[in-house]
Amino acid sequence: MGYVNYHPVYLDLKGRTILIVGGGNVALEKLESLLYTQAIITVIAPEAKTEIQEWHSEGRLTWIQRRFEISDVDPAYMVIAATDDPAVNQLVYRTGNELLRLSNSVDDPTNCNFIMSAITRHGPMQVAISSAGSSPALAQRMRNRIAVEILTEDIGNLAEYLGDWRPEVKKTLPSYKLRQAFWEGVIDSTIPDVLRTEGREAADALFEDRLHSAVDASKSTEPKIGKVYLVGAGPGHPGLITIRATQVLAQADVVLYDRLVNPILLKYAKPAAEKVYAGKDRGSPGMPRQIAIHEKLIAFAREGKTVVRLKGGDPFVFGRGGEEALALKEAGIPWEVVSGVTSSIAAPAAANIPVSHRKIAPAFGVFAGQEADDATGDGIPWAAAALMPTAIFLMGVERLPHITSQLIEHGRSPDTPIAAVSNGTLPHQKVVVGTLSDICSKAVGLEPPAAIIVGEVVKIAESLNAVLAEFGG
Ligand code: SAH
């Protein structure tokens, strides 16, 4: 079915005359959403709900107790037909439409030259949603989500606060581009938080400082240096990114993202932000890949850009985030780390394996499986790994035979439970469970990325109650 491509506008109805024909529940609902506009409202209906009568006696609207007449439309700027008689509604709409009035017959899109949207508002901030009549229920649902998750009272207050500063900023920063960058900076700064927790005066002090610095910076000839955020994207499920990560993504001019980052998360960046895949890039000839990434981060920051280096899981867990931070520090580039949910904990959790347990696993260790190297004798402290109540190996699928044999060699029982969780938290997650002696044959063909978990906690996933009973929990 086709639908009308409506264009949303925000009408200033203050002092305008609105005619509502009908006095029942439908009219009441429309009135509730129109009274705040300070329009001059006339209700025409032989009978009216108590609320309408009350509003009439309070002077908030005028109720005229009779049937609709064609001449009623004349003084109106907007006409709303809200009776339970389709013929009357159609007559009201047609009369209004012919006289070029904004005309609406409630719940009857074919007899409307404008429709009303589901709205949510706080202070000057307002979001209006429409489905062009396709599904008002879905529009309401989206409106509710926005009201709860996004357009909160704090945002309304913030909008009002920023609005009060707007004329001053316009006067102080002459160029549109400068002002745009300034406002973005204010929104991303601590000012919104300070306004919320400490109030206007505290926020004003910070605001003034920022405005002065912006003026100074606009006069300075020194090149502006950007900032690099080393950000964790979580283990894969798009809900497991942090709020802070989505905030810095929203500020980014450039995002360099890794292979294990769920690409859906790039939607948090501005459409205009440059997105650079830094996964399979082997770097320039003769240049190790990691060094090439460092150089890119530094180069973007020196262009004055805000850079997000988006990494799977947590950026400081085997992500080479530490190396990147050191390189940035050396180059004199400001940087900040934004922690993420690491797959070393989230992948086991997604398979119902708690990495610790007060009785059976008071400690857990996370090891880099790919460091296992038979020739050189290893980067992994095998004795420690074998002693660890829960030992977690990342990057270890291909080295599984080596990992299991080393653990057994260093004293871990061949019967120790072990699990491999591939693509943890994602829809195609796969879990293989066994013991150190049989996992290799069971896990043949298991796809990376996978987390390998060794220890009694694996049993909890298999039978939570049995394990707890066995250890007297
Ligand atoms: N910084 C990342 C780890 C990077 S090393 C973090 O904190 O999660 C890459 C390894 O992480 C992979 O080889 C795999 O062992 C593990 N990994 C990443 N995503 C995973 C997932 N969804 N499920 C299981 N393991 C995952």
Side-chain angles (χ1 to χ4, degrees):
M1 205 192 84
Y3 53 85
V4 180
N5 283 310
Y6 290 101
H7 182 72
V9 290
Y10 290 84
L11 298 174
D12 179 3
L13 294 174
K14 190 173 173 195
R16 300 263 187 193
T17 303
I18 300 179
L19 169 68
I20 297 193
V21 183
N25 282 325
V26 179
L28 190 61
E29 204 180 291
K30 291 295 155 204
L31 281 167
E32 274 165 352
S33 74
L34 283 169
L35 279 173
Y36 78 94
T37 65
Q38 298 170 21
I40 298 164
I41 301 179
T42 306
V43 175
I44 295 194
E47 282 155 46
K49 301 282 286 182
T50 331
E51 288 93 334
I52 297 178
Q53 298 186 22
E54 276 168 20
W55 287 329
H56 173 77
S57 43
E58 286 163 12
R60 299 181 68 191
L61 54 76
T62 309
W63 171 39
I64 303 175
Q65 190 175 7
R66 62 163 169 75
R67 306 199 145 265
F68 167 71
E69 288 162 18
I70 285 180
S71 60
D72 292 335
V73 168
D74 245 7
Y77 173 78
M78 177 186 280
V79 178
I80 295 173
T83 76
D84 51 10
D85 182 344
V88 174
N89 286 352
Q90 213 179 66
L91 178 67
V92 173
Y93 164 70
R94 290 207 176 145
T95 313
N97 189 49
E98 249 159 54
L99 293 173
L100 302 183
R101 304 296 192 266
L102 289 167
S103 305
N104 175 298
S105 170
V106 177
D107 212 17
D108 179 12
T110 54
N111 284 310
C112 284
N113 62 27
F114 81 99
I115 58 169
M116 287 196 236
S117 39
I119 63 176
T120 179
R121 45 191 293 274
H122 273 297
M125 285 299 265
Q126 178 160 188
V127 173
I129 298 189
S130 137
S131 64
S134 306
S135 174
L138 186 59
Q140 296 274 0
R141 186 66 67 88
M142 299 316 295
R143 189 268 312 271
N144 292 348
R145 264 187 72 179
I146 290 172
V148 173
E149 294 170 25
I150 301 171
L151 215 184
T152 55
E153 196 180 344
D154 292 339
I155 297 288
N157 291 339
L158 178 61
E160 202 174 345
Y161 177 79
L162 298 178
D164 290 346
W165 268 102
R166 220 174 143 193
E168 171 82 16
V169 171
K170 195 159 186 184
K171 224 169 44 199
T172 318
L173 296 173
S175 107
Y176 174 75
K177 226 178 145 162
L178 271 182
R179 285 199 300 275
Q180 206 179 16
F182 174 78
W183 286 120
E184 296 267 343
V186 169
I187 292 166
D188 294 330
S189 74
T190 53
I191 291 173
D193 259 350
V194 170
L195 176 71
R196 187 169 51 81
T197 53
E198 294 170 47
R200 277 203 169 224
E201 246 170 67
D204 279 345
L206 292 176
F207 199 105
E208 267 157 35
D209 277 354
R210 268 194 102 86
L211 193 53
H212 291 148
S213 318
V215 173
D216 292 347
S218 71
K219 287 181 190 145
S220 143
T221 49
E222 268 177 43
K224 180 179 167 256
I225 292 194
K227 178 167 178 180
V228 178
Y229 292 90
L230 305 171
V231 179
H237 188 291
L240 289 172
I241 191 169
T242 66
I243 291 172
R244 176 85 184 123
T246 63
Q247 289 167 342
V248 296
L249 271 169
Q251 300 170 37
D253 300 308
V254 194
V255 183
L256 277 94
Y257 63 102
D258 268 352
R259 190 168 54 85
L260 288 179
V261 167
N262 190 335
I264 284 179
L265 298 173
L266 297 174
K267 72 174 181 206
Y268 288 111
K270 295 178 272 207
E274 194 178 338
K275 285 117 192 164
V276 183
Y277 179 64
K280 281 208 185 83
D281 182 4
R282 293 276 135 201
S284 342
M287 190 194 283
R289 185 174 143 240
Q290 189 59 36
I291 305 289
I293 291 174
H294 295 174
E295 298 203 335
K296 270 191 195 152
L297 294 175
I298 292 165
F300 281 130
R302 291 213 169 120
E303 288 169 25
K305 291 185 168 141
T306 300
V307 187
V308 164
R309 172 77 176 110
L310 193 61
K311 294 162 158 297
D314 181 277
F316 278 3
V317 176
F318 304 148
R320 307 191 76 157
E323 288 165 52
E324 289 169 11
L326 282 171
L328 292 166
K329 185 184 174 273
E330 208 148 286
I333 308 286
W335 65 277
E336 190 180 320
V337 64
V338 177
S339 296
V341 174
T342 174
S343 67
S344 58
I345 293 169
N352 289 335
I353 303 170
V355 294
S356 74
H357 179 278
R358 191 166 53 90
K359 297 205 166 144
I360 60 180
F364 62 90
V366 182
F367 301 88
Q370 110 282 19
E371 302 295 334
D373 178 354
D374 336 53
T376 60
D378 281 334
I380 293 184
W382 284 113
L387 280 173
M388 203 49 86
T390 305
I392 299 150
F393 294 86
L394 299 188
M395 305 176 282
V397 197
E398 280 139 40
R399 313 286 299 174
L400 196 53
H402 183 66
I403 291 170
T404 50
S405 66
Q406 283 294 318
L407 288 173
I408 293 171
E409 204 169 289
H410 286 80
R412 196 109 200 202
S413 158
D415 297 329
T416 309
I418 177 170
V421 182
S422 150
N423 287 296
T425 76
L426 290 163
H428 47 293
Q429 167 173 314
K430 250 192 110 189
V431 185
V432 181
V433 179
T435 62
L436 283 182
S437 56
D438 69 11
I439 190 75
C440 290
S441 57
K442 286 182 166 172
V444 170
L446 191 74
E447 301 257 320
I452 296 158
I453 304 101
V454 181
E456 297 299 323
V457 288
V458 170
K459 277 197 196 155
I460 295 183
E462 290 192 295
S463 170
L464 192 70
N465 296 334
V467 171
L468 289 176
E470 193 179 327
F471 288 88

